Amino acid sequence: MKRSLINARVIDPTNGRDGQYDLHLDGGRLIAIGEAPAGFSAEQRDDLAGKLVTPAFIDLGAHLRDPGPRYKGSLVSESAAALAGGYATILPRPDTSPVLDSASHIRTLLDRARDVAGVRLAPLGALTQGLEGELLANMAALKSAGCVALTNLRQPIRDLGVLRRCLEYARTFDITVVFQAQEAALAGQGCAHEGAIASRLGLAGISESAETVALTQWLLLIEQTGVRAHVSLLSSARAVELVRDAKARGLDISADVSMAQLHWTDEQLEGFNANFHLEPPLRSAADRDALRAGVVDGTIDAIVSDHLPHEAAAKSAPFAVSEPGMTSLETMLPLGLALVKAELLSLPRLIETLTFSARRFGLKGGMLAVGEYCDLAVIDMAHEWRISSETLVSAGHNTPLLGMLLNGRVEEVLLGDTCYA
């Protein structure tokens, strides 16, 4: 279908575009920005004055719960949640059941995702077999099957010789390694940031050093092996400094932070709201401010959802034994716009952080390119809506935002010639 989107504010950080433009589409491809091509006659013309058009978002590390316990979520429910949040592509994590550590598991997942016909998947494969940190996964087979990166998430690789071989092999096969820095021996059974609040509440703490010690080890081995790496879910000010220093030394490393870490601190644990039980834990206000500064100055490249849906029972237990995680794909945009409204982040920088993974992991999309298939989101930044069990699409309703009024909502995601509204 021939379609024109006119009078929208268009932000495309990759191409340095921020202004009012008309977009012209034909057969799912973007054929012109600005003036319509000669002879072009739109069958549908949408006046988007006051609306925002951006490349559709890309999220790294969301948990789609599939394959695995369907009562927590499924490809159908979480794919729909991703589209509602403005996402075109998700890089799902491999700690499913079974673990995504073989080519057959990856191909099965991608076949099922095509049947669902929703958001695109670019899976993260397991770095070690079963994520057990002992035997290397078949990296070449995983890459051939469609994995765009490998990770052991937060699961420990205790033998540093094994970790070094993992990085060397990944370097050989030219595949990015994603890691979450946490030293298991220092984290112990902690469930909160180690500090005055955790002590007063009687919660076992996770120290900043659990992150920084592990991060330092990883950075040294990344430097030695020359592997391309991405550190996910930074949580402390000191970790931001370590990444900043590593980039300054020329390491091929990128980084992300969850939206939750940019908004909240361990003060939210007062009252034992289990929806704030996260991994890594919410830390101090100083840590949150350093993470925000890291996003602004480019030390942190991406803001991710860390989407982890749960059933109600998983969060009804006492805080320490509740399951960590938050459903968040659908609230990323309004929470990001809240940072913009508070003048903590510019709108173009927010969009840049939500599309960064396309460039880092060699994925399609993440920009508006004439001649290419459309991957775009239409956003009403003024739309006010109240988040509730009825308005959430995800199977998980584990968010502290239930009942709150939010500003900003995705009206439409256009993937090729398919419109999701």
Side-chain angles (χ1 to χ4, degrees):
M1 183 176 72
K2 294 181 178 179
R3 184 179 177 191
S4 291
L5 310 176
I6 64 170
N7 296 324
R9 179 182 177 184
V10 175
I11 296 180
D12 177 10
T14 300
N15 291 308
R17 186 175 286 116
D18 180 2
Q20 183 172 311
Y21 295 93
D22 298 340
L23 305 179
H24 307 282
L25 322 175
D26 188 357
R29 291 183 186 273
L30 178 62
I31 61 168
I33 300 176
E35 292 290 328
F40 179 83
S41 178
E43 302 164 65
Q44 181 176 328
R45 183 179 171 89
D46 298 292
D47 189 341
L48 301 181
K51 306 290 177 64
L52 174 66
V53 173
T54 75
F57 308 145
I58 298 166
D59 193 56
L60 170 69
H63 204 319
L64 302 184
R65 294 298 192 185
D66 201 340
R70 300 290 179 86
Y71 57 89
K72 289 181 180 289
S74 67
L75 270 181
V76 173
S77 64
E78 304 319 297
S79 175
L83 290 168
Y87 290 89
T89 306
I90 297 293
L91 284 65
R93 45 196 267 178
D95 56 337
T96 50
S97 180
V99 170
L100 299 179
D101 61 357
S102 75
S104 60
H105 295 332
I106 296 296
R107 292 193 177 100
T108 299
L109 174 65
L110 293 176
D111 285 346
R112 293 195 56 241
R114 279 188 282 271
D115 292 339
V116 170
V119 71
R120 285 193 296 269
L121 299 189
L124 302 177
L127 188 60
T128 63
Q129 295 179 28
L131 294 171
E132 294 175 350
E134 296 179 354
L135 300 174
L136 278 61
N138 187 334
M139 298 183 188
L142 288 170
K143 182 178 180 181
S144 177
C147 287
V148 298
L150 301 176
T151 180
N152 228 51
L153 297 172
R154 204 172 289 108
Q155 298 302 312
I157 301 177
R158 293 186 172 83
D159 186 330
L160 293 181
V162 173
L163 176 56
R164 177 180 170 177
R165 285 197 295 279
C166 286
L167 301 185
E168 289 171 340
Y169 272 80
R171 174 77 171 84
T172 299
F173 293 114
D174 190 28
I175 188 164
T176 304
V177 173
V178 176
F179 66 100
Q180 300 174 13
Q182 179 170 286
E183 172 51 51
L186 294 175
Q189 299 301 310
C191 62
H193 170 59
E194 185 177 282
I197 292 175
S199 297
R200 185 168 65 254
L201 298 177
L203 299 173
I206 300 176
S207 66
E208 170 197 283
S209 62
E211 179 177 39
T212 54
V213 167
L215 180 56
T216 300
Q217 285 184 334
W218 275 88
L219 291 175
L220 289 171
L221 289 174
I222 289 166
E223 187 168 22
Q224 181 177 3
T225 59
V227 71
R228 184 171 60 250
H230 178 92
V231 54
S232 193
L233 302 180
L234 293 179
S235 70
S236 68
R238 183 66 182 127
V240 176
E241 291 177 12
L242 290 170
V243 172
R244 187 177 290 122
D245 291 345
K247 286 189 168 185
R249 295 202 313 276
L251 270 66
D252 189 358
I253 188 167
S254 52
D256 71 52
V257 63
S258 75
M259 186 66 81
Q261 295 283 356
L262 298 176
H263 272 270
W264 297 302
T265 70
D266 60 346
E267 293 179 359
Q268 268 65 41
L269 273 54
E270 304 276 11
F272 298 100
N273 184 344
N275 284 317
F276 288 113
H277 183 186
L278 305 176
E279 286 185 337
L282 295 171
R283 297 197 182 273
S284 69
D287 290 310
R288 181 196 58 188
D289 293 346
L291 292 166
R292 288 173 171 175
V295 173
V296 171
D297 71 16
T299 301
I300 297 174
D301 304 275
I303 303 175
V304 299
S305 71
D306 195 24
H307 178 74
L308 189 55
H310 284 297
E311 78 284 13
K315 288 293 188 180
S316 61
F319 186 94
V321 294
S322 64
E323 295 186 49
M326 182 185 296
T327 187
S328 51
L329 280 169
E330 296 165 79
T331 58
M332 284 288 286
L333 175 68
L335 288 181
L337 292 177
L339 295 175
V340 173
K341 185 177 181 180
E343 299 183 345
L344 296 167
L345 194 63
S346 72
L347 184 55
R349 178 62 183 149
L350 172 65
I351 303 304
E352 186 176 23
T353 63
L354 296 176
T355 56
F356 168 79
S357 293
R359 299 185 294 283
R360 183 58 171 171
F361 296 96
L363 306 174
K364 66 170 62 174
M367 62 179 175
L368 302 176
V370 174
E372 298 294 328
Y373 280 106
C374 296
D375 266 18
L376 61 82
V378 178
I379 295 166
D380 184 349
M381 294 196 297
H383 183 95
E384 188 176 73
W385 59 291
R386 189 176 299 279
I387 185 169
S388 68
S389 296
E390 289 72 33
T391 56
L392 282 173
V393 178
S394 170
H397 298 164
N398 49 304
T399 169
L401 298 171
L402 280 179
M404 296 183 64
L405 279 174
L406 303 178
N407 281 310
R409 197 156 199 186
V410 175
E411 284 191 346
E412 178 182 341
V413 172
L414 194 58
L415 306 182
D417 56 0
T418 303
C419 173
Y420 299 92

